[in-house]
């Protein structure tokens, strides 16, 4: 999708469709009034007749005659004084749903009719392009019949005010974030028999070919063995699929500028291993690489936007299977850090791959390290599907991530990482065990990781509840690509 900005008089902007938000309180906002004038009072009449009530996300799709636009899409925006990020998202989602199924090639979106307290025009622009572009996403690669591609290729975002350069920049940023999220969604939606650790490594290499500002390095099992990544390799040993550790780096600042490191959990399928999971909804464990997918998606967005900072993405990829060589409960492994781990549950494998990747992150002399993982079912119980769990050893870093999430409409919520929880990981036989019992499961998982993150500012994002939708709308969400990209852009 191509996004452009216009602040010219609406009537001078031709398009196949014009999209006008209308409020519940029957007030006609500036753009709506202008359109109304040209269309002989059409909007006013619809409101007066009660055919247009302005309920959030409701739509009316009408042909126009003798206007610069072929069609009019009226979208309900609710009560004007209650407009917030969530209402705007509903307005945009309803809009793109209609537009992408129509034959309109271009659409003019009257964003100037929307005001949200605390949000400036550029924020609205970035949010709009991101949400509209996201609404175009579909995953049809594995259907034998491909649907017709949508006709819509151009969206003109209109506001009365707004600086051309700043708005164009905002629109580009939003669209880049959505495209990064789309990459993450597609990788995650691909099934485990296609998206293997090797596939993720290939994808990372492909990204580096597409974007010359990215560089990719792939470590194979032999190299990891050499380094001493006994914990990561232990997870992969029950599978026919070899593990990979992939480093993607983006250089946008001086080489000596400390990079911001992202570490993603890339379990391409999590059966639980010998501590086998129950069968119900086990297919969803193909999404257990959403952390890794979000790292690649974020690096893609960063490569498109090209901010002035250095970023390193590390993805730890393996398949967790109950093979003949698989790890068993009670097995003790030695991590890259030298610390030994008693594996009491082979289903707590995410932390086992992440701990070695975190230790590996040290060699990049990071300004900060953020890991992203579908780590615990407990996080789904604690926060549901709306907030990502956030735990950190640094308050400033935690706050930066929280506010990036607020800005991006991709929110996180912090949980405590108090020392009192650490003793749940005490082991009689090794330096630690890999599970801490049911109480505070998300916290003890983060406590485990914190033992490998002592030498840098570190935060952990548990995306078990937010990375994908279950049920009828089953599919990856692309989260937290918006949060991560916003966080990094704020750092530049
Ligand atoms: N990938 C799962 C976590 C998960 C489960 C995410 C369900 C989303 C939905 C992770 O590897 C796992 O199995 N965690 C265990 C940890 C436990 C054994 C301490 C869990 O949460 O049950
Ligand atoms: Mn597991
Ligand atoms: Zn897992």
């Amino acid at each position: 999708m191509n996004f452009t900005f216009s602040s010219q008089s609406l009537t001078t902007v031709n398009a196949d469709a014009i999209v006008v938000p209308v409020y519940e309180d029957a007030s006609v906002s500036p753009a709506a009034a202008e359109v109304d004038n040209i269309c002989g009072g059409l909007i006013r009449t619809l409101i007066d007749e009660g055919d247009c009530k302005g309920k959030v996300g409701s739509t009316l799709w009408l042909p126009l005659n003798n206007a610069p636009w072929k069609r009019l899409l009226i979208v309900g925006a609710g009560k004007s004084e209650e407009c917030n990020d969530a209402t705007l998202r509903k307005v945009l989602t309803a809009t793109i749903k209609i537009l992408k199924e129509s034959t309109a090639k271009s659409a003019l979106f009257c964003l100037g009719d929307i005001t949200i307290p605390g949000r400036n025009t550029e924020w609205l622009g970035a949010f709009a392009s991101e949400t509209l572009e996201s609404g175009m996403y579909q995953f049809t690669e594995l259907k034998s019949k491909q649907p017709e591609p949508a006709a819509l290729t151009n969206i003109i975002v209109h506001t009365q005010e707004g600086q051309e350069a700043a708005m164009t920049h905002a629109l580009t940023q939003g669209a880049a974030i959505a495209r990064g999220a789309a990459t993450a969604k597609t990788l995650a939606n691909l099934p485990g028999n296609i998206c293997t650790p090797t596939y993720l490594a290939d994808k990372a290499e492909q990204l580096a070919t597409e974007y010359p500002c990215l560089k990719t390095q792939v470590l194979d099992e032999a190299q990891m063995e050499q380094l001493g990544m006994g914990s990561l390799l232990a997870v992969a040993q029950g599978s026919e699929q070899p593990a990979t550790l992939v480093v993607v780096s983006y250089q946008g600042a001086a080489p000596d500028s400390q990079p911001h490191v992202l570490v993603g959990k890339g379990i391409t399928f999590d059966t639980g291993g010998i501590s086998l999971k129950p069968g119900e909804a086990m297919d969803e464990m193909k999404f257990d690489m959403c952390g890794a997918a979000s790292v690649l998606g974020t690096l893609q967005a960063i490569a498109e936007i090209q901010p002035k900072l250095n970023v390193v993405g590390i993805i730890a990829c393996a398949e967790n299977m109950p093979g003949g060589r698989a790890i068993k409960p009670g097995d003790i492994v030695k991590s890259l850090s030298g610390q030994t781990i008693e594996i009491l549950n082979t289903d707590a494998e995410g932390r086992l791959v992440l701990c070695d990747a975190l230790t590996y992150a040290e060699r990049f002399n990071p300004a900060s390290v953020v890991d992203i993982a579908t780590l615990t079912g407990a996080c789904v119980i604690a926060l549901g599907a709306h907030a990502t769990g956030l735990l950190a050893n640094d308050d400033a870093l935690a706050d930066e991530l929280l506010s990036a999430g607020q800005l991006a409409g991709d929110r996180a919520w912090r949980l405590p990482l108090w020392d009192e929880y650490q003793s749940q990981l005490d082991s009689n036989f090794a330096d630690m065990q890999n599970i801490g019992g049911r109480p505070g499961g998300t916290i003890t998982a983060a406590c485990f990781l914190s033992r490998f993150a002592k030498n840098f500012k570190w935060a952990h994002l548990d995306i078990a509840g937010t990375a994908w939708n279950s049920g009828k709308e089953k599919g990856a969400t692309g989260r937290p690509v918006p949060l991560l990209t916003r966080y990094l852009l704020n750092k530049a």
Side-chain angles (χ1 to χ4, degrees):
M1 186 73 58
N2 183 33
F3 289 93
T4 49
F5 168 68
S6 173
S7 57
Q8 275 156 24
S9 160
L10 273 181
T11 50
T12 66
V13 191
N14 293 307
D16 289 345
I18 183 165
V19 185
V20 178
V22 164
Y23 289 99
E24 241 174 71
D25 32 30
S27 64
V28 173
S29 44
E34 210 176 326
V35 175
D36 208 35
N37 266 335
I38 293 164
C39 304
L42 178 65
I43 300 179
R44 195 71 263 171
T45 311
L46 286 166
I47 294 175
D48 292 346
E49 295 287 327
D51 292 324
C52 172
K53 296 200 176 67
K55 198 174 156 303
V56 185
S58 63
T59 49
L60 262 181
W61 186 226
L62 305 157
L64 293 179
N65 284 318
N66 306 319
W69 323 287
K70 290 194 198 143
R71 310 164 184 83
L72 167 65
L73 178 62
I74 301 177
V75 199
K79 296 203 174 67
S80 54
E81 72 277 10
E82 284 175 13
C83 197
N84 58 28
D85 301 8
T87 10
L88 177 56
R89 191 192 292 280
K90 284 185 192 151
V91 168
L92 293 162
T93 309
T95 298
I96 200 67
K97 196 158 176 252
I98 302 272
L99 288 179
K100 75 174 176 194
E101 251 131 57
S102 80
T103 55
K105 295 193 188 74
S106 60
L108 173 59
F109 189 93
C110 299
L111 186 66
D113 280 12
I114 291 174
T115 43
I116 299 177
R119 301 299 194 196
N120 61 20
T121 313
E122 282 104 73
W123 183 91
L124 291 167
F127 191 81
S129 61
E130 187 202 320
T131 313
L132 292 168
E133 179 78 47
S134 294
M136 296 295 292
Y137 178 83
Q138 47 177 15
F139 181 74
T140 55
E141 282 171 39
L142 301 177
K143 303 264 190 192
S144 55
K145 263 212 195 77
Q146 290 304 302
E148 285 284 309
L152 189 70
T153 52
N154 280 299
I155 295 180
I156 309 141
V157 173
H158 185 274
T159 67
Q160 286 77 18
E161 64 212 71
Q163 301 294 313
E164 180 84 37
M167 277 303 275
T168 306
H169 188 65
L171 294 174
T172 311
Q173 278 192 356
I177 291 173
R179 281 192 290 270
T183 293
K185 286 180 206 175
T186 297
L187 286 172
N189 286 333
L190 285 168
N193 63 329
I194 295 176
C195 184
T196 60
T198 307
Y199 185 96
L200 285 174
D202 291 348
K203 177 69 196 180
E205 277 175 339
Q206 187 197 322
L207 275 179
T209 323
E210 265 171 63
Y211 299 91
C213 56
L214 296 180
K215 286 198 175 46
T216 294
Q217 193 202 353
V218 179
L219 300 191
D220 62 18
E221 288 195 342
Q223 289 165 300
M224 289 190 261
E225 180 86 57
Q226 268 272 300
L227 285 163
M229 294 190 165
S231 184
L232 192 159
L233 288 170
V235 173
Q237 76 190 35
S239 166
E240 296 290 321
Q241 294 292 338
T244 59
L245 185 93
V246 186
V247 181
V248 185
S249 35
Y250 164 81
Q251 196 190 321
D256 63 343
S257 157
Q258 285 181 280
H260 296 275
V261 177
L262 305 177
V263 177
K265 169 178 173 182
I267 298 294
T268 58
F269 198 85
D270 181 12
T271 63
I274 295 299
S275 312
L276 194 65
K277 286 183 179 295
E280 201 197 335
M282 206 210 268
D283 67 291
E284 296 189 8
M285 282 300 117
K286 73 173 183 178
F287 294 119
D288 211 19
M289 36 58 74
C290 280
S294 76
V295 170
L296 295 182
T298 301
L299 272 135
Q300 181 191 313
I302 289 297
E304 279 197 24
I305 301 169
Q306 307 226 337
K308 291 191 172 56
L309 84 168
N310 295 335
V311 182
V312 174
I314 304 174
I315 57 175
C317 310
E319 189 184 59
N320 188 20
M321 294 285 281
R325 279 174 29 81
I327 40 170
K328 307 164 292 295
D331 284 2
I332 294 177
V333 297
K334 187 168 181 180
S335 68
L336 177 61
S337 72
Q339 298 176 92
T340 57
I341 304 160
E342 184 187 15
I343 300 171
L344 287 182
N345 190 320
T346 65
D347 198 10
E349 84 298 339
R351 59 198 81 181
L352 296 176
V353 298
L354 285 171
C355 68
D356 280 350
L358 285 169
T359 304
Y360 193 70
E362 267 181 47
R363 68 182 55 208
F364 298 100
N365 183 25
S368 68
V369 178
V370 179
D371 80 70
I372 307 100
T374 48
L375 205 61
T376 62
C379 194
V380 191
I381 303 302
L383 299 173
H386 303 295
T388 290
L390 165 65
L391 300 100
N393 66 10
D394 184 88
D395 290 342
L397 175 59
D399 289 342
E400 283 164 9
L401 289 162
L402 289 173
S403 54
Q406 293 271 4
L407 267 182
D410 181 9
R411 287 179 294 180
W413 192 258
R414 193 172 179 187
L415 299 171
L417 190 68
W418 297 326
D419 280 344
E420 284 85 339
Y421 292 98
Q422 291 282 355
S423 59
Q424 285 174 242
L425 297 172
D426 289 349
S427 160
N428 285 353
F429 305 106
D431 296 339
M432 68 193 89
Q433 55 189 41
N434 76 330
I435 52 170
R438 283 176 47 98
T442 303
I443 298 171
T444 53
C447 282
F448 180 93
L449 296 177
S450 75
R451 298 171 178 221
F452 302 85
K454 289 227 164 79
N455 300 330
F456 41 74
K457 293 177 186 169
W458 160 78
H460 160 64
L461 295 171
D462 194 329
I463 55 168
T466 52
W468 74 89
N469 295 316
S470 304
K472 192 123 182 42
E473 299 285 296
K474 194 194 291 179
T477 61
R479 292 179 69 179
V481 170
L483 179 159
L484 293 169
T485 311
R486 207 32 86 191
Y487 159 71
L488 292 171
L489 292 179
N490 288 345
K491 286 272 159 207

